[in-house]
Structure formats: C-alpha cells, structure tokens
Amino acid sequence: MTPLPRTPEYRDVDPARFRAEILPAGQPAILKGLVTDWPAVAAGRRSDEALVAYLGGLDTGAPVTVLSGGAEIDGRFFYSDDLGGLNFQRDEMPLARVLGALLELRPVARPPAIAVQSTPTTGQLPGFAEANRLALVDPKVGPRIWIGNAITTATHFDMSHNIACAVAGRRRFTLFPPDQLKNLYLGPFDFTPAGPPVSMVDLARPDLDRYPNFPSALAAAQVAELEPGDAIYIPYCWFHNVESLDPFTVLINYWWNEAPALLSPPLVALVHALASVRGLPPGEREVWRGMFDHFVFQTNGDPMAHIPPDKRGSLGEMTPERLASLRAVLLQAFSSP
C-alpha cells in the first residue's frame, strides 16, 4: 500500500491559536508536545510501572469495564466471523487488576487483547483532570481514559470534536473525511462493537473483492502517529481507525460539541428517517429529499424569511420550549400504533 499523507503538525498551540486557526480549518491536526508537562506523561516516561503507580494513587477502586479477546483476534476488537456476535467479551473488574495484567503480558509475543475504553476519570481517578489540565477545552469537558495493550479500534466516527492525548505508548490514527462514508462500508447501526457504527473493512487486510470502493477512501486518507506527550485534534464526524502500537498504552481524550447543548443527537433523526422515509416509493422519497433540503439544510436560503420571527414556531430559532414541543410531537407519534 502506498504510504498515506501525514497529518499536519502544530507546535506551541495555545487556546487562542487553536480557536482561531485549527478548529475553523476543520482538518485533523497533530498537536506536537501538547501535554509533555503532564505529571502522568512524566510518570510514563520513567517507566510503565511508575505510571501504574501514579494511576493507582488516584484510583477509587471502583470496577471498570474491560474488553478482552484471545490472541487469535490479533488485538482487533470486532464482530465474530458470522456477524452474529463479537470476537471479545466484556467484564467488570478493579482497575488495579487490569493494570497488573497488562504489565505481566508485556513480554508475551502474541498476547490476549485487553482494553479499558472511554472511562471517565471523574469517578475513577478523581484529581486526574486537575493535575493534568488541557487548556484547549472548556474545563467542564471531562477527560476519559483508554488503557490497553497493542489493540486496534475499527474505523468509526464520533458525533463530537475530539482531542486525544498520548500518555504512554505510541498510537497510529488513520483518518478519513466524512465524505468517504460511501467508500467505508459501515456495519449495522443497532449492533456495534462499541457504540458508533464501524467500517467493515480491515485496514490491515482489506478485502477489495468485497469492498471494491475502499481504495477511493484510502486516496482521501491521512495518517497520524503520536508519541507520549503528543495530541491529535479530530474534527466532528471524521472517521478514524486507531492502533495502539506498544504493549502498554494509555490515552486521554476529550469530546465536546460546538452546537448548542439543547439540540437532539442528529443520529436520532437519521434513525427516524430510516424508519419513516427510506421505505417510501422512489417518487415520494424524492419529495422528502426536497423537504429536507429546503427546511433542514436550507439549500434555498432561509425557508421562513417571509414570516415574522415570532411567528415561525418550530421553524424559528430553537429554544428549550420549542424543542420540548417538538419532542412531545415525536413522543406522540412513536406511541401511536
């Protein structure tokens, strides 16, 4: 495979530069050395054991959700071969036990895959956020911790902006812009390995007979590799495949949205459209394509410009009251036989 273009790197990024230059560009960005001054990163640079001790000093002892799979999955958490299940299992256990197991597995040439994913530090590691601050995001955005060995998270998207910070171990992100949706062959929405729908294509061994348009996605892709202390900004809904490259890895990430918090998740609207629009006869479906273009995407300009602002109802500026009214209409529709 031809080497992919590298994600651009930025150094000495402060909040003002991030807001003025990086965020508006809507492109991934490596934020080189962004968190090198974190105590957690310093501990990890001393040794894996030092980082485990640092995390252990903050740990409440509450159980965490652990993903584990046999050596035969080669670290790739995914569906079972028949798509009837998953190739890993979920368990609950103390974080200290997970960390100890990861340390013990480091010398194993082909170990079982183990991961703790997307665990909020607020409840699990109180004090972590205060000691390891990220000035680029609102302090209300809580960090989440990801811990594991050499594992792969399949290509997926998040309905948020994301800054991911490498604390220990190297990470490789392969990134695809949202317009490559058609070439990434997403799996089911209602049964997924870890939440968002994932691409069915194995990036390491793509089956081009089954997924013939995937080379077009690769032509638009880029790759970013993080060392401890580096971070990456992933824009809203960019697809990313994530590989942990070392036997012991720790990453912290922050998800946030620029849209008003009162809005409903857009994926809900997509699922509703699957239930109500997709099955219409082609001619009727085209009518509703026009409706969505006009009222939602406003391809013809403001569809309510001819009506006074205070008379636009649900098509006016969204307020908590209007949103509550719309949700009431939806609840009534969903409860009808």
Side-chain angles (χ1 to χ4, degrees):
M1 185 174 70
T2 303
L4 298 178
R6 297 284 174 170
T7 298
E9 290 187 3
Y10 297 79
R11 295 178 183 270
D12 303 318
V13 175
D14 59 16
R17 186 183 181 196
F18 180 71
R19 284 277 161 185
E21 182 178 347
I22 296 173
L23 189 62
Q27 295 290 318
I30 295 174
L31 310 175
K32 195 68 179 172
L34 183 70
V35 296
T36 51
D37 61 344
W38 277 9
V41 173
R45 283 186 166 158
R46 290 195 297 273
S47 67
D48 296 339
E49 288 79 4
L51 178 54
V52 167
Y54 178 81
L55 297 175
L58 299 171
D59 185 17
T60 62
V64 293
T65 300
V66 184
L67 279 55
S68 61
E72 69 278 1
I73 74 171
D74 291 323
R76 184 173 184 251
F77 294 123
F78 201 63
Y79 295 103
S80 57
D81 290 341
D82 63 0
L83 298 184
L86 301 171
N87 68 357
F88 61 92
Q89 62 185 27
R90 289 185 175 90
D91 299 290
E92 299 287 322
M93 64 181 67
L95 179 60
R97 181 177 166 190
V98 181
L99 293 170
L102 287 168
L103 293 181
E104 291 180 2
L105 286 170
R106 286 176 299 175
V108 178
R110 197 178 181 218
I114 298 177
V116 173
Q117 298 190 319
S118 189
T119 299
T121 65
T122 304
Q124 192 70 45
L125 303 168
F128 184 95
E130 291 74 18
N132 302 271
R133 291 188 177 276
L134 187 69
L136 302 190
V137 301
D138 190 307
K140 295 177 182 177
V141 178
R144 293 171 174 267
I145 193 164
W146 306 66
I147 305 169
N149 49 10
I151 61 170
T152 298
T153 301
T155 305
H156 65 284
F157 67 92
D158 301 314
M159 292 183 291
S160 305
H161 296 268
N162 185 10
I163 293 180
C165 309
V167 173
R170 297 165 299 137
R171 300 255 175 168
R172 179 186 297 125
F173 293 77
T174 305
L175 303 124
F176 305 85
D179 65 9
Q180 290 307 305
L181 167 66
K182 60 184 178 295
N183 298 319
L184 287 171
Y185 299 93
L186 292 196
F189 276 41
D190 48 352
F191 173 51
T192 70
V198 301
S199 170
M200 301 301 294
V201 184
D202 183 348
L203 194 62
R205 294 173 291 274
D207 183 345
L208 299 185
D209 290 331
R210 191 171 185 179
Y211 309 115
N213 294 335
F214 183 65
S216 295
L218 279 179
Q222 56 183 272
V223 66
E225 292 193 5
L226 304 188
E227 300 285 341
D230 295 340
I232 183 171
Y233 165 62
I234 303 175
Y236 181 88
C237 277
W238 270 67
F239 292 94
H240 47 290
N241 182 90
V242 188
E243 300 167 81
S244 301
L245 303 177
D246 290 309
F248 182 78
T249 63
V250 177
L251 179 134
I252 294 289
N253 93 296
Y254 302 79
W255 281 314
W256 80 96
N257 288 98
E258 295 290 306
L262 63 84
L263 296 182
S264 299
L267 188 60
V268 174
L270 177 59
V271 172
H272 191 199
L274 292 175
S276 58
V277 177
R278 182 180 58 172
L280 294 174
E284 295 179 18
R285 196 165 59 238
E286 281 302 308
V287 169
W288 283 100
R289 185 199 299 271
M291 292 279 194
F292 275 80
D293 283 345
H294 185 69
F295 289 108
V296 178
F297 300 107
Q298 300 188 18
T299 55
N300 305 312
D302 183 354
M304 290 288 104
H306 56 288
I307 297 178
D310 62 337
K311 304 298 183 185
R312 295 177 183 177
S314 60
L315 290 171
E317 181 181 354
M318 193 55 63
T319 64
E321 295 75 22
R322 283 177 174 155
L323 183 60
S325 177
L326 286 173
R327 285 176 172 164
V329 170
L330 290 173
L331 284 173
Q332 183 176 3
F334 288 144
S335 62
S336 301

